[in-house]
Amino acid sequence: MKTFEELGVSENIRRAIAEMGYENPMPVQEEVIPYLLGVGNDVIALAQTGTGKTAAYGLPVLQKVDPADHHTQAIILSPTRELCLQIAGDLKDYARYIDGLQVLAVYGGSSIESQIRSLRKGVQVIVATPGRLIDLMHRGVANLDKVENVVLDEADEMLNMGFTESIDEILAGVPAERNTLLFSATMGREIERIAKSYLHDYKEIVVGSRNEGAENVNHIYYLVHAKDKYPALKRVVDYYPNIYAIIFCRTRLETQEVADQLIRDGYNAEALHGDLSQAQRDLTMQKFRTHRTQLLIATDVAARGLDVDELTHVINYGLPEDVENYTHRSGRTGRAGRRGTSISIIHMREKGRVRIIEKVIGKQFEQGTLPEPQEICTKQLYRVMDELERIEVDDNQIAPFLPEIFRKLDWLTKEDLVKRIVSREFGHFLDYYANAPEIVQPTSSKSEREDRKASGRQSGRGKDRAVGPRAAEPGYKRLFINLGKRDNFYAREIINLVNRYVKGKVQIGRIDLTPNCSFFEVPEASAGLVLKKMSRAMVGNRQVVVDDADPTGDKPTRRGSRRDKSEDRRPSHRAADKASNGRRKYGKDDWKQFFE
Ligand code: AMP
């Protein structure tokens, strides 16, 4: 690895970046800086935000500026105001020890008058959004005759936002012998067109591989019916108590609606989209950057200016129209050596797009099974317990109040107290999941399921769906029962229930539990008796259904004579559907099981 000095960076810039903590060049800088410090070099760099690209072009561009000349010598175009401000801020920091060098950010949505006044004083480096720069050019205030370097930062995003014509106009208005540097996270056809039209003998630099999603990012999708998208989102968010995420929506309206719903449901969430005023957007981003907001619900465009490294998840509330937007979104997590997850909550019609994205990013998605209420509540409970353990108690501060507190709570045992504290902290999860709508996840087609199984990509939680058709142990018969973990039915409950209805203690073999139903094995000789006796079984006022679970068995099932063949092949699914009526929901008192 070379040093900044070996790359040719001047002493005054090295001093500034050393103060900023830049010790060694990042890979994109190592490649781009020496090349740009040469003469007449155009560059296309495929590099995402977070790779160090601002310094890669910023340091050589600043170094080539003559601070004694007050003409504009470099322009940097970027898609949003936020990015303009960020780039200009970085460049000012790099140029701290270059006397007389002026950097100015100009962008739409704020007073053009003050920008004109600043420009008239002489600015060597303009960082601009394309629309505002055109406006300033038309007014004769931005004079680009002496421009030697033009940088298009996040070029793909500028094109996505409809700045193609403005970029064409700006590039046509600067001297032909300038250098043009194009930075983009992805390489689309339009970028290639711009490169062909305006760049000369350019060097193509790829940081990481071309069009690839970040290495450290897992891609998961949950397939749900459109009506279940929001409850599915809640489950995902609830399952990760320490989540710090951007939830991407496609439209401003949807962004606001999802944010409103989450806020109403008690989440620390805020919306970020173009209908908000600039001041509101700035405040929202500031709160998110400093972790005062946990969930940011944003449109692709509005989130462009936001640069945070520590996201645990990116959530796609539906897939973006454009694969490039998916790359941008998912590239926001898994940064700075961390692992990240890009979760997509999609409905059936979007599934084709998953395949397209997989091809472009060169990575496969995992189809996930949504966490069950029981799993979520357990996770949240552990969060509460962890937090309780970590609370720092200031003994001195609390001491004067303790006698009164002890007197008041004297009648409660330690166990009562713990239960109360935990109920208070996580009771709202139980309340919600007691009545939460059931989410039916449509399954993939049969062939696809087999493909996924063969390639071992089925998610861990999805495995319980596969327990139905397995063969019984030799000498045993496998039976289905319409009660599952969601009903708080576990091995002990199944054994107790069978023993209550079948006299003489039946031996029960292997038991497999799934959320909605379970399977248990009894000796073949006892199976007939168990089926007969269990036909009367009730739990509360709910009819228990026990049936032959062997889908290929040739013996007729208990109700075989009345059913057609197709029903015979899928007894468990039929029964499970039937059983979901009148299901006892996860109840408020059920948290007690965690202590028992
Ligand atoms: P960028 O891709 O330009 O948005 O940069 C990502 C982050 O890396 C920014 O916070 C930069 O300040 C930081 N950065 C850029 N170059 C270096 C370097 N050589 N050493 C340490 N940090 C850097």
Side-chain angles (χ1 to χ4, degrees):
M1 185 197 295
K2 290 191 169 167
T3 61
F4 280 111
E5 187 174 4
E6 285 164 340
L7 298 183
V9 178
S10 63
E11 199 279 327
N12 48 2
I13 292 181
R14 289 204 314 271
R15 189 174 152 206
I17 58 176
E19 285 177 10
M20 294 169 72
Y22 294 14
E23 287 172 6
N24 296 304
M26 291 167 90
V28 67
Q29 294 160 359
E30 211 167 338
E31 276 211 70
V32 172
I33 292 173
Y35 186 72
L36 290 185
L37 285 175
V39 184
N41 298 317
D42 286 359
V43 161
I44 289 188
L46 290 178
Q48 306 201 348
T49 302
T51 51
K53 64 187 167 67
T54 315
Y57 66 74
L59 304 187
V61 162
L62 290 172
Q63 193 162 320
K64 284 159 91 180
V65 165
D66 176 4
D69 179 349
H70 288 200
H71 286 96
T72 300
Q73 296 161 51
I75 52 174
I76 292 142
L77 298 179
S78 95
T80 62
R81 168 194 195 264
E82 288 74 22
L83 195 59
C84 274
L85 284 168
Q86 203 175 305
I87 295 167
D90 284 352
L91 297 187
K92 283 178 192 169
D93 287 339
Y94 303 149
R96 186 177 307 158
Y97 298 112
I98 307 179
D99 280 344
L101 198 153
Q102 299 298 326
V103 178
L104 180 71
V106 296
Y107 42 81
S110 88
S111 157
I112 197 164
E113 301 305 329
S114 68
Q115 292 175 1
I116 290 174
R117 276 197 298 279
S118 303
L119 275 175
R120 290 219 161 105
K121 287 186 199 147
V123 170
Q124 290 98 348
V125 180
I126 299 178
V127 187
T129 50
R132 178 52 62 99
L133 186 60
I134 296 261
D135 199 347
L136 291 163
M137 285 163 70
H138 290 172
R139 289 170 189 242
V141 194
N143 182 345
L144 307 184
D145 294 347
K146 295 272 173 63
V147 165
E148 290 170 3
N149 284 289
V150 177
V151 181
L152 308 178
D153 198 351
E154 304 214 347
D156 49 350
E157 198 51 32
M158 287 196 279
L159 300 177
N160 282 345
M161 291 172 66
F163 284 132
T164 312
E165 279 178 22
S166 305
I167 290 172
D168 281 341
E169 189 177 339
I170 293 166
L171 290 178
V174 289
E177 59 280 8
R178 71 188 180 247
N179 284 354
T180 311
L181 327 171
L182 189 152
F183 285 77
S184 179
T186 53
M187 185 76 178
R189 234 177 294 140
E190 192 54 14
I191 298 276
E192 274 169 7
R193 179 191 71 79
I194 295 213
K196 281 208 184 80
S197 316
Y198 297 107
L199 274 66
H200 314 287
D201 299 329
Y202 57 85
K203 176 178 165 108
E204 191 173 323
I205 294 169
V206 181
V207 182
S209 40
R210 195 174 155 127
N211 278 350
E212 194 183 50
E215 256 321 296
N216 296 333
V217 180
N218 298 331
H219 303 265
I220 296 176
Y221 72 90
Y222 295 108
L223 197 59
V224 294
H225 293 295
K227 71 170 176 47
D228 288 331
K229 259 171 93 175
Y230 180 72
L233 172 67
K234 269 175 71 76
R235 282 207 191 178
V236 169
V237 170
D238 287 345
Y239 189 68
Y240 298 103
N242 298 321
I243 192 169
Y244 175 54
I246 302 182
I247 300 168
F248 283 98
C249 297
R250 268 199 237 167
T251 63
R252 297 169 183 192
L253 183 67
E254 187 180 52
T255 304
Q256 191 62 55
E257 280 173 359
V258 172
D260 287 346
Q261 257 178 310
L262 285 170
I263 293 165
R264 243 193 332 265
D265 289 342
Y267 294 88
N268 180 3
E270 275 202 54
L272 182 73
H273 55 71
D275 284 345
L276 302 171
S277 73
Q278 192 57 58
Q280 278 172 309
R281 273 188 276 164
D282 287 346
L283 184 65
T284 300
M285 284 198 265
Q286 179 58 17
K287 282 168 72 182
F288 187 64
R289 263 190 218 108
T290 52
H291 292 248
R292 277 183 291 153
T293 308
Q294 194 179 8
L295 300 170
L296 187 74
I297 302 85
T299 55
D300 291 288
V301 173
R304 294 303 303 157
L306 185 68
D307 194 23
V308 276
D309 282 343
E310 312 97 26
L311 294 185
T312 58
H313 293 77
V314 159
I315 300 181
N316 303 287
Y317 196 69
L319 288 171
E321 290 292 347
D322 222 314
V323 178
E324 294 185 3
N325 273 342
Y326 184 85
T327 314
H328 273 297
R329 289 178 179 188
S330 58
R332 288 174 163 275
T333 184
R335 286 191 186 171
R338 296 182 183 84
R339 286 216 68 82
T341 307
S342 172
I343 289 179
S344 303
I345 299 174
I346 63 169
H347 53 73
M348 282 302 260
R349 268 183 294 132
E350 291 177 290
K351 250 185 67 188
R353 206 149 346 122
V354 169
R355 302 288 162 258
I356 295 169
I357 294 174
E358 281 181 337
K359 280 207 187 88
V360 176
I361 65 173
K363 278 187 142 191
Q364 288 192 321
F365 280 65
E366 184 186 344
Q367 182 174 2
T369 305
L370 285 166
E372 295 296 338
Q374 170 84 21
E375 296 172 87
I376 293 168
C377 290
T378 306
K379 268 265 188 119
Q380 290 290 349
L381 179 71
Y382 277 102
R383 173 188 61 87
V384 172
M385 293 193 292
D386 280 347
E387 281 175 10
L388 276 176
E389 280 180 334
R390 282 202 300 267
I391 290 176
E392 281 183 26
V393 176
D394 184 335
D395 286 325
N396 290 337
Q397 222 171 34
I398 203 167
F401 305 100
L402 279 180
E404 184 57 29
I405 293 170
F406 286 140
R407 199 164 34 249
K408 178 93 174 74
L409 302 179
D410 189 35
W411 60 282
L412 291 168
T413 63
K414 176 183 165 194
E415 198 188 348
D416 284 336
L417 274 174
V418 170
K419 286 180 181 176
R420 275 159 206 256
I421 293 168
V422 174
S423 296
R424 182 193 153 110
E425 292 296 323
F426 112 126
H428 65 279
F429 283 102
L430 289 173
D431 281 345
Y432 172 74
Y433 285 108
N435 298 304
E438 208 167 315
I439 301 179
V440 178
Q441 284 194 260
T443 46
S444 311
S445 68
K446 189 167 172 259
S447 59
E448 203 176 322
R449 263 200 316 273
E450 278 160 5
D451 280 356
R452 285 186 180 276
K453 250 193 192 162
S455 61
R457 282 166 49 209
Q458 191 159 9
S459 79
R461 274 194 301 279
K463 275 187 247 151
D464 58 10
R465 301 270 156 90
V467 299
R470 54 163 288 143
E473 299 292 322
Y476 278 79
K477 181 105 200 125
R478 187 170 167 81
L479 301 179
F480 158 88
I481 182 166
N482 66 332
L483 293 161
K485 288 186 277 189
R486 253 187 226 168
D487 309 287
N488 284 321
F489 238 76
Y490 295 86
R492 198 178 56 194
E493 283 74 14
I494 292 175
I495 294 168
N496 288 345
L497 188 73
V498 174
N499 284 331
R500 191 171 348 133
Y501 283 90
V502 189
K503 298 289 168 237
K505 290 258 180 243
V506 181
Q507 193 191 335
I508 296 184
R510 185 191 168 98
I511 297 177
D512 287 314
L513 305 167
T514 83
N516 294 318
C517 62
S518 306
F519 300 87
F520 64 98
E521 292 177 13
V522 294
E524 274 175 336
S526 317
L529 180 70
V530 173
L531 285 171
K532 185 164 168 242
K533 296 286 181 190
M534 295 300 288
S535 65
R536 293 186 289 113
M538 302 285 286
V539 167
N541 52 7
R542 179 168 162 203
Q543 171 72 54
V544 174
V545 178
V546 175
D547 211 337
D548 183 347
D550 178 5
T552 54
D554 48 14
K555 279 188 221 138
T557 61
R558 175 162 68 88
R559 291 175 290 141
S561 56
R562 277 186 283 129
R563 284 189 296 175
D564 66 31
K565 270 192 157 173
S566 63
E567 268 187 304
D568 272 344
R569 259 180 270 123
R570 303 166 50 219
S572 59
H573 298 160
R574 287 281 156 167
D577 287 347
K578 212 168 123 192
S580 64
N581 293 329
R583 175 182 305 290
R584 190 174 74 80
K585 295 280 192 173
Y586 193 63
K588 195 169 166 62
D589 285 338
D590 289 340
W591 67 280
K592 288 179 188 145
Q593 68 183 284
F594 294 115
F595 294 99
E596 280 156 6

